[in-house]
Amino acid sequence: MRGFLASSIGVATAAALALPLALSTPALAAPSQGAAAPVAPAGSTQSLPLAPVGPPAAGRSPGVPGMNTSPRLPETRGLAPREVKRFSLVGVVWDDAGTELFGRVQVRTRAVATGTWSGWQDVETHNGEHAPDLGTRESGSGRLRGSTAPLWVGDSDGVEVRVQAQPGAPATRAGARLPSGMRIELVDPGASDPVTVVDAKNGASGPSGPSGPSGPAGPAGPSDEPEGDDKGDVVALPGMTMETAESSSANVPLAALGAKEITALDKADTTADAVADSGLTAAARPYIGPRPRIVTRLGWGADETLRESGFVYTSTVKAAFVHHSASGNNYACKDAPAVLRSLYRYHVVSSGWRDLGYNFAVDKCGTVYEGRAGGVAKAVLGAHTMGFNTDSMGVAVLGTYTGTNPPAAAVKAVAQLTAWKLGLFNRDPRAKTTLKSGGGNRFKKGTNVKLNVISGHRDGFATECPGKLLYAQLPPTRTSSAKLQGRP
């Protein structure tokens, strides 16, 4: 690591940087004086460019476990350790969303509470797997950037970054091995009023978010969708494309003031609501699971001014893609709304999407959250599975489940959510369906692909998502979901 940092842009000498936990800069030796200051209510994003880092001197090892230790270091960009404004989530972005990052991304952060630095943590590179479909207005907005997965690091005020090209990585158009315009995004989720999040593991509950003691969540929403849930929506009518169905109206909150959650309904009420909303007969929608409690966007503190106004819909929901957020498991359930606010800001501000990519999120305690705006019961076009966002929904379990087993409460919540939402569109969770690829790294554009109605992200795109251990839970989830629908 001494060699890695020796040529970092003029922050300190190589000797001073050789020991990452014994930094010589006084400002980095202890927590900042403003550590106790409250975070900004609306959140913020710091975007810091990554500078080229030269090769180490001959014979020196860069000291990076698992990296090339030859005298010449592969192309590397980084950011020397520095104090910054408070943040809780990090990710790396670059200019061209069509350029892939072949390499290793690592960060170290300093905790506000203790003033201590973490070890190096890997940030997952996922190269377009979560993205709007090609050819849509969202993908052609000119705002999209390439991006890694985000990583939740908790309340921090110091950061160090290094990105090293994979040996033999293909060169970009500019002849480099790493994408141009790389920068680290430091996201502060901001504060939000608390909403009760149930810990399904031990039955305890308490407010989420950074504010205060345990107490009631505030005024609960009505038992149905909050009044005003669909005001301002424009539905894709017959003959209209998804893009022409987009509303140009001003931002409209998706829940009435004070309605922070949609509470569970019994199966009969849910079926009646779906039939009334669709205009179909009851016989057309016989298998709909009970709607689970869903924390609304208002409930988790979404800043509706960040996203684009209006909503885009597809004609139906034929499949549910299950994801993990790949943001790490170092969060408490009470922090889940803050994690979600950070993901939302990273998707919109840093990655250039119109809104949060997922239609729903589930935390490790089994709480379900409304994701992309447009109405929880509607076929909202997301940006979760590049190539298969049309006529599907995406649900992300917050965390990383490649080497960690997903909590039973989270898996149960996925079954409950899919039993309800897929039931609204008369889909059997155990069945197969056919989707037409919009283009991706696994299926060419226009290919008709047969998929499970409940699929993992990797079924539609070559990726590790949703992690092998969460993916292994999908077969029993399909069975549980169908059972909740009342299917024989």
Side-chain angles (χ1 to χ4, degrees), residues 104-155:
R104 187 177 188 183
V105 179
Q106 293 184 300
V107 299
R108 283 196 319 124
T109 57
R110 189 182 68 181
V112 168
T114 64
T116 58
W117 285 81
S118 71
W120 287 104
Q121 301 181 75
D122 285 295
V123 178
E124 183 177 311
T125 60
H126 56 204
N127 290 321
E129 62 194 55
H130 303 83
D133 284 343
L134 299 174
T136 61
R137 182 172 175 178
E138 185 172 4
S139 68
S141 67
R143 297 191 301 272
L144 261 61
R145 304 181 185 94
S147 58
T148 67
L151 178 66
W152 177 261
V153 295
D155 197 11

Side-chain angles (χ1 to χ4, degrees), residues 295-321:
V295 176
T296 66
R297 289 170 64 91
L298 180 63
W300 55 261
D303 179 354
E304 299 295 352
T305 66
L306 287 181
R307 65 174 177 85
E308 288 187 14
S309 61
F311 318 107
V312 183
Y313 300 97
T314 62
S315 59
T316 187
V317 176
K318 298 173 70 175
F321 285 98

Side-chain angles (χ1 to χ4, degrees), residues 207-224:
S208 67
S211 53
S214 297
S223 61
D224 198 349

Side-chain angles (χ1 to χ4, degrees), residues 198-213:
V198 177
D199 184 341
K201 184 176 181 180
N202 56 31
S205 64
S208 67
S211 53

